[in-house]
Amino acid sequence: MEGKTTRISPADIDRQREFCDKIQEAWAARPSQPLAYVDTYGCQQNEADSERIRGYLTAMGCGFTDDEKAADVIVINTCAIREHAEDRVFGNVGALVHAKRAHPGQIICLCGCMAQEPRVAEKLRQSYRHVDLVFGPHALWKFPELLYRVVSRRGRVFETTDEAGSIAEGIPLSRQDGVKAWVSIMYGCNNFCTYCIVPYVRGRERSRLPEDVLAEIRALVEEGYKDITLLGQNVNSYGKDLGLDMDFADLLEKIEAIPGDFLIRFMTSHPKDASQKLFEVMGKSRKIAPVFHLPVQAGNDRVLKAMNRVYTREEYLDKVRRLREQVPDIVLTSDIIVGFPGETTPEFEDTLSLIEEVRFDALFTFIFSPREGTPAASMEDPMPMEEKKANFQRLVDAQNAISAEKHAAYIGRRLRCLVDGVGEEMGYPLVARTPGNRLVRLENGEECLVGSFREVEITGANTWSLTGRLV
Ligand code: SAH
Ligand code: SF4
Ligand code: F3S
Protein backbone atom coordinates (compact mmCIF):
# COMPACT_ATOMS: atom_id res chain seq x y z
CA MET A 1 0.00 0.00 0.00
CA GLU A 2 1.47 3.34 -1.07
CA GLY A 3 0.42 6.72 0.19
CA LYS A 4 1.14 9.32 2.79
CA THR A 5 1.46 9.12 6.53
CA THR A 6 -1.64 10.31 8.34
CA ARG A 7 -0.92 12.34 11.47
CA ILE A 8 -3.71 11.67 13.94
CA SER A 9 -4.74 14.99 15.48
CA PRO A 10 -4.76 15.64 19.25
CA ALA A 11 -8.53 16.16 18.93
CA ASP A 12 -8.86 12.60 17.59
CA ILE A 13 -7.00 11.21 20.59
CA ASP A 14 -9.12 13.33 22.94
CA ARG A 15 -12.15 11.73 21.35
CA GLN A 16 -10.69 8.29 22.10
CA ARG A 17 -10.36 9.35 25.74
CA GLU A 18 -14.04 10.23 25.66
CA PHE A 19 -14.79 6.70 24.46
CA CYS A 20 -12.75 5.43 27.43
CA ASP A 21 -15.03 7.47 29.71
CA LYS A 22 -18.14 6.10 27.99
CA ILE A 23 -16.96 2.53 28.45
CA GLN A 24 -16.18 3.24 32.08
CA GLU A 25 -19.73 4.55 32.53
CA ALA A 26 -21.18 1.50 30.78
CA TRP A 27 -19.26 -0.72 33.20
CA ALA A 28 -20.02 1.37 36.31
CA ALA A 29 -22.94 -0.82 37.39
CA ARG A 30 -20.72 -3.92 37.72
CA PRO A 31 -20.24 -5.30 41.22
CA SER A 32 -16.45 -5.19 40.92
CA GLN A 33 -13.73 -3.52 38.87
CA PRO A 34 -13.55 -4.96 35.34
CA LEU A 35 -10.38 -6.92 34.69
CA ALA A 36 -8.34 -7.14 31.49
CA TYR A 37 -5.85 -9.73 30.33
CA VAL A 38 -3.31 -8.64 27.70
CA ASP A 39 -1.26 -11.33 26.00
CA THR A 40 1.60 -10.16 23.78
CA TYR A 41 3.49 -12.05 21.07
CA GLY A 42 6.31 -10.92 18.81
CA CYS A 43 8.85 -8.14 18.93
CA GLN A 44 9.40 -5.07 21.11
CA GLN A 45 7.16 -3.06 18.80
CA ASN A 46 4.33 -5.23 19.97
CA GLU A 47 5.42 -4.92 23.61
CA ALA A 48 5.32 -1.16 23.13
CA ASP A 49 1.89 -1.36 21.50
CA SER A 50 0.61 -3.43 24.42
CA GLU A 51 1.71 -0.64 26.76
CA ARG A 52 -0.62 1.64 24.77
CA ILE A 53 -3.44 -0.90 24.95
CA ARG A 54 -2.97 -1.18 28.70
CA GLY A 55 -2.88 2.61 28.89
CA TYR A 56 -6.26 2.84 27.21
CA LEU A 57 -7.67 -0.01 29.34
CA THR A 58 -6.49 1.79 32.48
CA ALA A 59 -8.29 4.90 31.27
CA MET A 60 -11.43 2.74 30.96
CA GLY A 61 -11.12 1.87 34.64
CA CYS A 62 -9.83 -1.67 34.14
CA GLY A 63 -7.54 -3.56 36.46
CA PHE A 64 -5.35 -6.39 35.14
CA THR A 65 -5.19 -10.13 35.65
CA ASP A 66 -3.03 -13.00 34.37
CA ASP A 67 -5.95 -15.38 34.51
CA GLU A 68 -7.88 -15.42 31.26
CA LYS A 69 -10.92 -16.98 32.97
CA ALA A 70 -11.19 -14.06 35.37
CA ALA A 71 -10.88 -11.46 32.62
CA ASP A 72 -13.76 -9.35 31.34
CA VAL A 73 -11.68 -8.20 28.39
CA ILE A 74 -8.99 -10.28 26.70
CA VAL A 75 -6.63 -8.64 24.23
CA ILE A 76 -4.29 -10.84 22.20
CA ASN A 77 -1.60 -8.81 20.47
CA THR A 78 -0.25 -11.06 17.74
CA CYS A 79 2.85 -11.55 15.58
CA ALA A 80 2.92 -12.76 11.98
CA ILE A 81 6.66 -13.14 11.43
CA ARG A 82 6.74 -16.95 11.21
CA GLU A 83 4.16 -19.68 10.88
CA HIS A 84 5.00 -21.03 14.32
CA ALA A 85 4.03 -17.68 15.91
CA GLU A 86 0.67 -17.76 14.13
CA ASP A 87 -0.01 -21.38 15.04
CA ARG A 88 0.50 -20.61 18.72
CA VAL A 89 -1.96 -17.73 18.52
CA PHE A 90 -4.62 -19.78 16.75
CA GLY A 91 -4.18 -22.55 19.34
CA ASN A 92 -4.55 -20.16 22.25
CA VAL A 93 -7.45 -18.23 20.72
CA GLY A 94 -9.24 -21.50 19.99
CA ALA A 95 -8.88 -22.54 23.61
CA LEU A 96 -10.53 -19.29 24.76
CA VAL A 97 -13.90 -20.72 23.73
CA HIS A 98 -13.95 -22.40 27.15
CA ALA A 99 -13.10 -19.24 29.08
CA LYS A 100 -15.91 -17.45 27.27
CA ARG A 101 -18.42 -20.21 27.88
CA ALA A 102 -17.75 -19.87 31.61
CA HIS A 103 -17.98 -16.07 31.35
CA PRO A 104 -20.47 -15.17 28.57
CA GLY A 105 -20.03 -11.39 28.95
CA GLN A 106 -16.34 -11.66 28.20
CA ILE A 107 -15.02 -9.61 25.26
CA ILE A 108 -12.23 -11.16 23.22
CA CYS A 109 -10.06 -8.89 21.05
CA LEU A 110 -7.32 -9.87 18.65
CA CYS A 111 -4.95 -7.20 17.35
CA GLY A 112 -1.41 -6.84 16.06
CA CYS A 113 0.28 -7.97 12.88
CA MET A 114 -1.77 -11.11 12.21
CA ALA A 115 -4.98 -9.09 12.26
CA GLN A 116 -3.65 -7.07 9.34
CA GLU A 117 -3.38 -10.15 7.12
CA PRO A 118 -6.56 -10.58 5.03
CA ARG A 119 -6.27 -14.39 5.19
CA VAL A 120 -6.19 -14.33 9.00
CA ALA A 121 -9.03 -11.83 9.35
CA GLU A 122 -11.18 -14.05 7.13
CA LYS A 123 -10.36 -17.15 9.15
CA LEU A 124 -11.28 -15.35 12.38
CA ARG A 125 -14.52 -14.12 10.85
CA GLN A 126 -15.56 -17.60 9.73
CA SER A 127 -14.17 -20.00 12.29
CA TYR A 128 -13.47 -18.09 15.52
CA ARG A 129 -16.85 -16.60 16.22
CA HIS A 130 -16.10 -16.06 19.91
CA VAL A 131 -13.64 -13.32 18.93
CA ASP A 132 -15.54 -10.01 19.17
CA LEU A 133 -13.05 -7.44 17.95
CA VAL A 134 -10.26 -7.71 15.39
CA PHE A 135 -8.06 -4.71 14.57
CA GLY A 136 -4.67 -4.27 12.91
CA PRO A 137 -1.74 -2.08 14.00
CA HIS A 138 -3.08 0.78 11.85
CA ALA A 139 -6.22 0.99 13.99
CA LEU A 140 -4.59 0.73 17.42
CA TRP A 141 -5.02 4.43 18.12
CA LYS A 142 -8.82 4.03 17.97
CA PHE A 143 -9.08 0.92 20.15
CA PRO A 144 -11.47 2.66 22.62
CA GLU A 145 -13.90 3.60 19.85
CA LEU A 146 -13.85 0.05 18.45
CA LEU A 147 -14.28 -1.51 21.86
CA TYR A 148 -17.17 0.84 22.59
CA ARG A 149 -18.91 -0.43 19.48
CA VAL A 150 -18.65 -3.96 20.86
CA VAL A 151 -19.68 -2.89 24.38
CA SER A 152 -22.73 -1.07 23.13
CA ARG A 153 -23.75 -4.35 21.45
CA ARG A 154 -23.37 -3.64 17.82
CA GLY A 155 -22.06 -7.13 17.13
CA ARG A 156 -18.60 -8.17 16.06
CA VAL A 157 -16.21 -5.49 14.84
CA PHE A 158 -13.43 -5.92 12.25
CA GLU A 159 -11.13 -2.96 11.54
CA THR A 160 -8.35 -4.22 9.32
CA THR A 161 -8.20 -1.76 6.44
CA ASP A 162 -4.80 -1.59 4.79
CA GLU A 163 -3.14 1.83 4.72
CA ALA A 164 0.29 3.43 4.47
CA GLY A 165 0.12 4.10 8.20
CA SER A 166 -0.40 6.85 10.73
CA ILE A 167 1.34 8.48 13.65
CA ALA A 168 -0.58 9.25 16.80
CA GLU A 169 0.86 11.21 19.73
CA GLY A 170 -0.65 11.33 23.19
CA ILE A 171 -2.03 7.79 23.53
CA PRO A 172 -1.93 6.99 27.27
CA LEU A 173 0.83 4.52 28.15
CA SER A 174 0.97 2.04 30.95
CA ARG A 175 4.61 0.92 31.16
CA GLN A 176 5.42 -2.51 32.51
CA ASP A 177 8.70 -1.62 34.13
CA GLY A 178 10.10 1.25 36.21
CA VAL A 179 13.71 0.98 35.03
CA LYS A 180 13.57 0.15 31.33
CA ALA A 181 11.36 1.86 28.77
CA TRP A 182 10.66 1.39 25.08
CA VAL A 183 10.29 4.50 22.96
CA SER A 184 9.05 4.05 19.40
CA ILE A 185 10.81 6.55 17.17
CA MET A 186 9.40 5.29 13.90
CA TYR A 187 6.94 2.78 12.53
CA GLY A 188 6.71 0.57 9.45
CA CYS A 189 9.30 -0.59 6.97
CA ASN A 190 10.14 0.16 3.33
CA ASN A 191 12.71 -2.54 2.73
CA PHE A 192 10.62 -5.44 1.51
CA CYS A 193 13.13 -8.18 2.21
CA THR A 194 11.62 -10.97 0.12
CA TYR A 195 10.87 -13.29 3.07
CA CYS A 196 9.33 -10.69 5.39
CA ILE A 197 5.71 -9.87 6.17
CA VAL A 198 6.41 -6.75 8.24
CA PRO A 199 6.10 -4.13 5.45
CA TYR A 200 2.71 -5.59 4.53
CA VAL A 201 1.28 -5.47 8.03
CA ARG A 202 3.01 -2.41 9.50
CA GLY A 203 2.87 -0.07 6.52
CA ARG A 204 5.43 2.41 5.24
CA GLU A 205 8.31 3.93 7.16
CA ARG A 206 7.27 6.99 9.13
CA SER A 207 9.14 8.87 11.80
CA ARG A 208 7.87 10.62 14.90
CA LEU A 209 8.85 14.26 15.13
CA PRO A 210 12.12 14.75 17.03
CA GLU A 211 10.49 17.12 19.53
CA ASP A 212 7.93 14.46 20.46
CA VAL A 213 10.62 11.79 20.92
CA LEU A 214 12.83 14.12 22.97
CA ALA A 215 9.93 15.25 25.19
CA GLU A 216 9.01 11.64 25.92
CA ILE A 217 12.60 10.72 26.83
CA ARG A 218 13.07 13.82 28.97
CA ALA A 219 9.96 12.85 30.95
CA LEU A 220 11.16 9.26 31.34
CA VAL A 221 14.55 10.36 32.64
CA GLU A 222 12.84 12.69 35.11
CA GLU A 223 10.70 9.78 36.29
CA GLY A 224 13.87 7.79 36.98
CA TYR A 225 14.07 5.47 33.98
CA LYS A 226 17.65 4.32 33.40
CA ASP A 227 17.55 2.23 30.26
CA ILE A 228 15.78 3.59 27.21
CA THR A 229 15.46 1.59 24.00
CA LEU A 230 14.56 3.42 20.81
CA LEU A 231 12.39 1.23 18.63
CA GLY A 232 11.76 0.91 14.92
CA GLN A 233 12.08 -1.79 12.26
CA ASN A 234 14.97 0.14 10.82
CA VAL A 235 15.96 2.97 13.15
CA ASN A 236 18.89 3.91 10.93
CA SER A 237 16.55 5.43 8.39
CA TYR A 238 14.92 7.65 11.02
CA GLY A 239 13.99 11.08 9.72
CA LYS A 240 14.27 10.37 6.00
CA ASP A 241 10.53 10.95 5.60
CA LEU A 242 10.43 14.13 7.65
CA GLY A 243 12.29 16.47 5.32
CA LEU A 244 14.08 17.99 8.32
CA ASP A 245 17.84 18.18 8.48
CA MET A 246 18.00 15.38 11.04
CA ASP A 247 19.05 11.76 10.76
CA PHE A 248 19.31 8.98 13.35
CA ALA A 249 22.83 9.94 14.43
CA ASP A 250 21.65 13.54 14.99
CA LEU A 251 18.70 12.30 17.03
CA LEU A 252 21.04 10.22 19.21
CA GLU A 253 23.21 13.27 19.87
CA LYS A 254 20.17 15.26 20.95
CA ILE A 255 19.09 12.44 23.30
CA GLU A 256 22.60 12.21 24.70
CA ALA A 257 22.39 15.90 25.61
CA ILE A 258 19.39 15.32 27.90
CA PRO A 259 20.76 15.68 31.45
CA GLY A 260 20.74 12.57 33.63
CA ASP A 261 22.42 9.22 34.15
CA PHE A 262 20.79 6.81 31.71
CA LEU A 263 21.60 4.39 28.89
CA ILE A 264 20.36 4.63 25.33
CA ARG A 265 19.83 1.54 23.21
CA PHE A 266 18.17 1.08 19.85
CA MET A 267 16.85 -1.63 17.60
CA THR A 268 16.75 -2.69 14.84
CA SER A 269 19.32 -1.52 12.30
CA HIS A 270 19.47 -2.46 8.66
CA PRO A 271 23.14 -2.79 7.63
CA LYS A 272 22.59 -0.72 4.48
CA ASP A 273 21.71 2.36 6.58
CA ALA A 274 24.23 1.90 9.41
CA SER A 275 26.48 4.87 8.67
CA GLN A 276 30.02 5.88 9.55
CA LYS A 277 28.50 9.00 11.15
CA LEU A 278 26.44 6.77 13.46
CA PHE A 279 29.52 4.71 14.42
CA GLU A 280 31.42 7.91 15.22
CA VAL A 281 28.57 9.28 17.35
CA MET A 282 28.58 5.98 19.26
CA GLY A 283 32.35 6.11 19.65
CA LYS A 284 32.17 9.54 21.32
CA SER A 285 29.08 8.84 23.37
CA ARG A 286 28.93 8.24 27.13
CA LYS A 287 25.28 7.22 27.21
CA ILE A 288 24.75 5.04 24.14
CA ALA A 289 25.18 1.44 25.26
CA PRO A 290 28.05 -0.33 23.46
CA VAL A 291 25.82 -2.87 21.80
CA PHE A 292 24.68 -3.20 18.21
CA HIS A 293 22.08 -5.59 16.81
CA LEU A 294 22.94 -5.79 13.12
CA PRO A 295 20.98 -8.54 11.36
CA VAL A 296 23.02 -10.11 8.56
CA GLN A 297 20.52 -12.91 7.62
CA ALA A 298 23.04 -14.82 5.45
CA GLY A 299 26.72 -14.90 4.55
CA ASN A 300 26.41 -15.68 0.85
CA ASP A 301 26.01 -12.96 -1.78
CA ARG A 302 23.62 -14.87 -4.01
CA VAL A 303 21.32 -15.56 -1.06
CA LEU A 304 21.57 -11.97 0.19
CA LYS A 305 20.56 -10.77 -3.24
CA ALA A 306 17.60 -13.16 -3.40
CA MET A 307 16.57 -11.85 0.02
CA ASN A 308 16.74 -8.27 -1.32
CA ARG A 309 19.07 -7.26 1.48
CA VAL A 310 20.97 -4.89 -0.88
CA TYR A 311 24.42 -5.36 0.72
CA THR A 312 27.11 -7.94 0.08
CA ARG A 313 28.99 -10.08 2.57
CA GLU A 314 32.08 -7.89 2.09
CA GLU A 315 30.10 -4.68 2.66
CA TYR A 316 28.67 -6.14 5.85
CA LEU A 317 32.10 -7.20 7.12
CA ASP A 318 33.43 -3.75 6.29
CA LYS A 319 30.70 -2.12 8.42
CA VAL A 320 31.56 -4.40 11.30
CA ARG A 321 35.26 -3.47 10.98
CA ARG A 322 34.47 0.23 10.94
CA LEU A 323 32.08 -0.08 13.87
CA ARG A 324 34.75 -1.89 15.90
CA GLU A 325 37.29 0.81 15.05
CA GLN A 326 35.02 3.38 16.68
CA VAL A 327 33.68 1.23 19.54
CA PRO A 328 36.29 -1.48 20.24
CA ASP A 329 34.26 -3.05 23.07
CA ILE A 330 31.03 -3.29 21.08
CA VAL A 331 28.75 -6.24 21.81
CA LEU A 332 27.49 -7.43 18.42
CA THR A 333 24.38 -9.52 17.87
CA SER A 334 22.59 -10.56 14.70
CA ASP A 335 19.69 -12.46 13.12
CA ILE A 336 20.16 -15.33 10.69
CA ILE A 337 17.73 -17.22 8.49
CA VAL A 338 18.68 -20.79 7.59
CA GLY A 339 17.02 -22.55 4.66
CA PHE A 340 15.97 -19.58 2.54
CA PRO A 341 14.44 -20.98 -0.69
CA GLY A 342 17.20 -22.25 -2.95
CA GLU A 343 19.98 -21.89 -0.36
CA THR A 344 22.37 -24.82 -0.82
CA THR A 345 24.47 -26.33 1.95
CA PRO A 346 27.71 -24.82 0.53
CA GLU A 347 25.94 -21.42 0.50
CA PHE A 348 24.85 -22.00 4.09
CA GLU A 349 28.49 -22.71 4.93
CA ASP A 350 29.28 -19.13 3.90
CA THR A 351 27.01 -18.09 6.79
CA LEU A 352 29.00 -20.36 9.10
CA SER A 353 32.28 -18.85 7.96
CA LEU A 354 30.85 -15.35 8.39
CA ILE A 355 29.90 -15.94 12.00
CA GLU A 356 33.35 -17.43 12.68
CA GLU A 357 34.88 -14.32 11.15
CA VAL A 358 32.71 -11.79 12.97
CA ARG A 359 32.36 -13.69 16.26
CA PHE A 360 29.03 -12.26 17.34
CA ASP A 361 28.26 -12.21 21.06
CA ALA A 362 24.86 -13.78 20.42
CA LEU A 363 22.63 -14.73 17.51
CA PHE A 364 18.92 -15.08 16.92
CA THR A 365 18.55 -17.94 14.46
CA PHE A 366 15.47 -18.92 12.47
CA ILE A 367 14.51 -21.50 9.91
CA PHE A 368 12.85 -19.86 6.89
CA SER A 369 9.08 -19.80 7.19
CA PRO A 370 7.08 -18.96 4.04
CA ARG A 371 4.71 -16.00 4.54
CA GLU A 372 1.82 -15.79 2.12
CA GLY A 373 2.00 -12.71 -0.08
CA THR A 374 5.79 -12.30 0.14
CA PRO A 375 7.97 -13.05 -2.92
CA ALA A 376 9.97 -15.78 -1.16
CA ALA A 377 6.83 -17.79 -0.43
CA SER A 378 6.54 -18.65 -4.11
CA MET A 379 10.25 -19.32 -4.78
CA GLU A 380 11.50 -22.84 -5.52
CA ASP A 381 12.42 -24.43 -2.22
CA PRO A 382 13.87 -27.87 -2.94
CA MET A 383 15.89 -28.51 0.24
CA PRO A 384 14.25 -31.06 2.54
CA MET A 385 13.40 -29.80 6.05
CA GLU A 386 15.74 -32.44 7.50
CA GLU A 387 18.73 -30.87 5.79
CA LYS A 388 17.64 -27.37 6.85
CA LYS A 389 17.39 -28.56 10.43
CA ALA A 390 20.83 -30.15 10.27
CA ASN A 391 22.31 -26.88 8.97
CA PHE A 392 20.43 -24.96 11.63
CA GLN A 393 21.95 -27.19 14.32
CA ARG A 394 25.46 -26.66 12.94
CA LEU A 395 24.92 -22.93 13.16
CA VAL A 396 23.58 -23.08 16.71
CA ASP A 397 26.49 -25.28 17.85
CA ALA A 398 29.08 -23.01 16.25
CA GLN A 399 27.53 -19.92 17.81
CA ASN A 400 27.16 -21.50 21.24
CA ALA A 401 30.88 -22.21 21.29
CA ILE A 402 31.64 -18.61 20.33
CA SER A 403 29.20 -17.17 22.89
CA ALA A 404 30.67 -19.35 25.63
CA GLU A 405 34.21 -18.22 24.79
CA LYS A 406 33.20 -14.59 24.65
CA HIS A 407 31.44 -14.85 28.00
CA ALA A 408 34.40 -16.66 29.60
CA ALA A 409 36.57 -13.67 28.70
CA TYR A 410 34.45 -11.51 31.05
CA ILE A 411 35.59 -13.41 34.16
CA GLY A 412 37.59 -11.14 36.45
CA ARG A 413 36.48 -7.92 34.71
CA ARG A 414 34.84 -5.09 36.60
CA LEU A 415 31.92 -3.42 34.88
CA ARG A 416 29.39 -0.75 35.69
CA CYS A 417 26.12 -2.68 35.47
CA LEU A 418 22.50 -1.67 35.75
CA VAL A 419 20.72 -3.70 38.43
CA ASP A 420 17.42 -4.31 36.71
CA GLY A 421 15.49 -6.85 38.73
CA VAL A 422 15.30 -9.45 41.48
CA GLY A 423 16.74 -12.87 40.71
CA GLU A 424 14.59 -15.92 40.27
CA GLU A 425 17.31 -18.46 41.01
CA MET A 426 18.48 -19.67 44.42
CA GLY A 427 21.67 -17.94 45.51
CA TYR A 428 21.23 -15.01 43.10
CA PRO A 429 19.12 -12.30 44.73
CA LEU A 430 19.45 -9.79 41.88
CA VAL A 431 19.99 -9.62 38.14
CA ALA A 432 21.86 -6.92 36.27
CA ARG A 433 22.93 -6.04 32.74
CA THR A 434 26.40 -5.16 31.52
CA PRO A 435 26.67 -2.02 29.38
CA GLY A 436 26.52 -4.39 26.38
CA ASN A 437 23.27 -5.88 27.74
CA ARG A 438 24.66 -9.26 28.83
CA LEU A 439 22.68 -10.79 31.68
CA VAL A 440 24.52 -11.02 35.02
CA ARG A 441 23.15 -13.01 37.97
CA LEU A 442 24.34 -11.30 41.13
CA GLU A 443 25.45 -13.33 44.11
CA ASN A 444 24.79 -10.53 46.59
CA GLY A 445 22.76 -7.36 47.06
CA GLU A 446 19.42 -6.09 48.29
CA GLU A 447 16.23 -5.41 46.37
CA CYS A 448 16.55 -1.67 47.04
CA LEU A 449 19.42 -1.57 44.52
CA VAL A 450 17.11 -2.29 41.59
CA GLY A 451 17.28 0.64 39.21
CA SER A 452 20.81 1.73 40.11
CA PHE A 453 24.17 1.44 38.35
CA ARG A 454 26.75 -0.56 40.39
CA GLU A 455 30.28 -1.84 40.00
CA VAL A 456 30.18 -5.58 39.47
CA GLU A 457 33.04 -8.07 39.33
CA ILE A 458 32.31 -10.94 36.95
CA THR A 459 32.87 -14.28 38.67
CA GLY A 460 31.50 -16.86 36.24
CA ALA A 461 30.11 -17.43 32.75
CA ASN A 462 28.22 -19.84 30.54
CA THR A 463 26.83 -19.66 27.00
CA TRP A 464 23.84 -17.54 27.95
CA SER A 465 24.79 -15.44 30.93
CA LEU A 466 27.33 -14.30 33.51
CA THR A 467 27.48 -14.33 37.29
CA GLY A 468 28.98 -11.55 39.38
CA ARG A 469 29.42 -9.86 42.76
CA LEU A 470 28.75 -6.27 43.70
CA VAL A 471 32.00 -4.61 44.77
N1 SAH B 1 13.41 -5.18 11.08
C1 SAH B 1 14.28 -6.12 11.59
C2 SAH B 1 13.78 -7.52 11.75
C3 SAH B 1 12.39 -7.81 12.07
S1 SAH B 1 11.93 -9.48 12.08
C4 SAH B 1 15.44 -6.19 10.67
O1 SAH B 1 15.33 -5.95 9.50
O2 SAH B 1 16.48 -6.55 11.12
C5 SAH B 1 13.16 -10.28 13.05
C6 SAH B 1 13.87 -11.37 12.35
O3 SAH B 1 12.98 -12.41 11.99
C7 SAH B 1 14.51 -11.00 11.03
O4 SAH B 1 15.71 -10.34 11.20
C8 SAH B 1 14.68 -12.33 10.36
O5 SAH B 1 15.90 -12.94 10.72
C9 SAH B 1 13.53 -13.15 10.94
N2 SAH B 1 12.49 -13.39 9.93
C10 SAH B 1 11.72 -12.49 9.31
N3 SAH B 1 10.90 -13.09 8.42
C11 SAH B 1 11.16 -14.41 8.49
C12 SAH B 1 10.65 -15.56 7.82
N4 SAH B 1 9.72 -15.47 6.89
N5 SAH B 1 11.15 -16.79 8.17
C13 SAH B 1 12.12 -16.89 9.10
N6 SAH B 1 12.63 -15.85 9.76
C14 SAH B 1 12.17 -14.61 9.47
FE1 SF4 C 1 11.44 -7.23 7.47
FE2 SF4 C 1 13.55 -6.50 6.07
FE3 SF4 C 1 11.89 -4.65 7.00
FE4 SF4 C 1 13.43 -6.00 8.69
S1 SF4 C 1 14.15 -4.60 7.08
S2 SF4 C 1 11.26 -5.56 8.93
S3 SF4 C 1 13.53 -8.01 7.77
S4 SF4 C 1 11.43 -6.17 5.46
FE1 F3S D 1 5.98 -9.87 14.67
FE2 F3S D 1 4.81 -7.70 13.85
FE3 F3S D 1 7.00 -7.56 15.31
S1 F3S D 1 5.10 -9.52 12.67
S2 F3S D 1 8.09 -9.42 14.78
S3 F3S D 1 5.08 -8.36 15.96
S4 F3S D 1 6.40 -6.19 13.67
Side-chain angles (χ1 to χ4, degrees), residues 122-133:
E122 199 44 40
K123 185 164 165 181
L124 292 166
R125 204 188 286 274
Q126 302 295 341
S127 313
Y128 292 77
R129 303 197 62 83
H130 58 296
V131 177
D132 303 284
L133 169 59

Side-chain angles (χ1 to χ4, degrees), residues 389-403:
K389 283 190 177 157
N391 287 342
F392 182 81
Q393 197 53 50
R394 285 173 73 191
L395 178 67
V396 169
D397 292 344
Q399 180 57 42
N400 285 352
I402 296 169
S403 294

